[in-house]
Amino acid sequence: MRIAQLGTGEPELVIVGGIHGDEPCGVRAVEWLLDAQPTVARPVRLIVANERAIDAGVRYVDADLNRSFDYVSTKTAYEAGLADRLRREIQGKTVLSIHSTQSTHDPFAIVSGLSDGVEPIVSRLSVEAVVDAGPLEDGRIFDTSSTVIEVEAGYQGSETATANAKQLAEEFLIATGALPGELSATERPLFEMGTAIQKPPAEDYEVFVNNFARVDQGETFARADQRRLQADEEFWPVLLSAYGYRDIFGYRGRKQGSLSPA
């Protein structure tokens, strides 16, 4: 784990990249800030989390680091030690955790509840939507005593995701007062994560719908080999992709209205 800092003093702000080793955009955003060395009004901790997985170009070594913060499911894995250390480094701080996805090229944010510390920041980020993960934390970084905003910066491995990650990191620092600048708060559509959509056993998968676009009851939303899957009820896809996850397509999101700038 690589840990660095902008400014002096004990940081209250943290930017984390590289929780997944196959998502380089957050690592590049951290390295970009380290190269630029901007003068900050508030100290900022910068973390590249899973260096071993990054060097190997794999998602994780033994277990998903973003499912390892519960001390139970992965306690004997290499990533369990990383989770312990990362928890200590972000405890009680305001955190931007940068990821990428196979589901959509447009950045969006994932939070666990809309606390007073989350809303003023996330409403100023260049994201198309905000997703409340709610109780579906399952050992994720939200399972720490920290104010955490995850951002999915774009398609995994793309240059667009890297550019978006840098922009989101800069906006986070402006929104939290670490860098000078003004960002207008903007209304964002708000979704609840919902339940997982399981994948039937198959060799080939395909998704026919777009994330955050309503899927009506009875609509065909995906394919597993020759089997076409239809919605039992309406939902709004969240993190839906053919191969982003091994066992699930993504989540049955629910529209919760909008996150108001106010």
Side-chain angles (χ1 to χ4, degrees):
M1 185 179 295
R2 181 183 180 189
I3 302 172
Q5 183 167 321
L6 300 175
T8 58
E10 177 62 24
E12 296 177 346
L13 306 174
V14 184
I15 296 177
V16 182
I19 280 185
H20 294 134
D22 58 355
E23 297 177 2
C25 64
V27 178
R28 292 170 182 165
V30 168
E31 291 172 342
W32 171 69
L33 287 169
L34 287 172
D35 289 342
Q37 287 292 309
T39 300
V40 291
R42 302 176 66 188
V44 183
R45 182 164 294 155
L46 302 173
I47 300 177
V48 176
N50 197 340
E51 290 185 292
R52 188 179 295 181
I54 293 162
D55 290 343
V58 296
R59 189 168 183 83
Y60 52 79
V61 176
D62 292 326
D64 189 335
L65 177 54
N66 208 23
R67 300 295 186 274
S68 299
F69 290 93
D70 58 3
Y71 294 120
V72 177
S73 60
T74 60
K75 61 183 178 181
T76 63
Y78 165 72
E79 276 77 10
L82 290 181
D84 282 345
R85 185 177 180 191
L86 186 54
R87 179 191 293 272
R88 292 193 298 270
E89 295 294 339
I90 68 174
Q91 195 87 16
K93 304 184 188 304
T94 300
V95 182
L96 181 73
S97 179
I98 304 175
H99 295 260
S100 54
T101 177
Q102 294 187 33
S103 64
T104 179
H105 66 272
D106 292 321
F108 63 95
I110 304 176
V111 300
S112 181
L114 292 168
S115 67
D116 291 341
V118 167
E119 290 193 53
I121 300 171
V122 80
S123 65
R124 288 169 168 81
L125 301 181
S126 296
V127 294
E128 70 158 339
V130 179
V131 177
D132 187 350
L136 296 178
E137 297 171 8
D138 54 15
R140 291 170 66 157
I141 195 171
F142 298 120
D143 191 20
T144 62
S145 299
S146 313
T147 300
V148 179
I149 299 169
E150 282 191 347
V151 288
E152 300 284 351
Y155 278 124
Q156 187 175 320
S158 70
E159 290 303 317
T160 299
T162 294
N164 290 340
K166 293 176 181 178
Q167 179 176 342
L168 290 162
E170 183 176 34
E171 289 172 346
F172 172 77
L173 295 180
I174 294 172
T176 55
L179 287 179
E182 294 290 335
L183 295 171
S184 298
T186 304
E187 186 170 314
R188 310 290 187 198
L190 178 64
F191 298 86
E192 179 187 82
M193 181 78 86
T195 58
I197 303 173
Q198 300 298 321
K199 281 182 174 178
E203 294 184 358
D204 184 49
Y205 298 98
E206 187 177 4
V207 167
F208 302 124
V209 296
N210 295 320
N211 281 265
F212 306 119
R214 188 180 69 185
V215 174
D216 293 322
Q217 183 178 10
E219 183 177 348
T220 298
F221 64 88
R223 175 182 61 80
D225 287 341
Q226 301 307 311
R227 178 183 174 187
R228 300 176 78 83
L229 307 178
Q230 296 179 323
D232 295 332
E233 58 183 354
E234 72 173 16
F235 70 93
W236 282 257
V238 175
L239 288 167
L240 213 68
S241 66
Y243 297 103
Y245 297 100
R246 183 179 63 182
D247 300 321
I248 66 173
F249 282 108
Y251 297 90
R252 295 180 182 86
R254 296 294 173 196
K255 186 76 179 292
Q256 297 297 304
S258 297
L259 181 66
S260 171

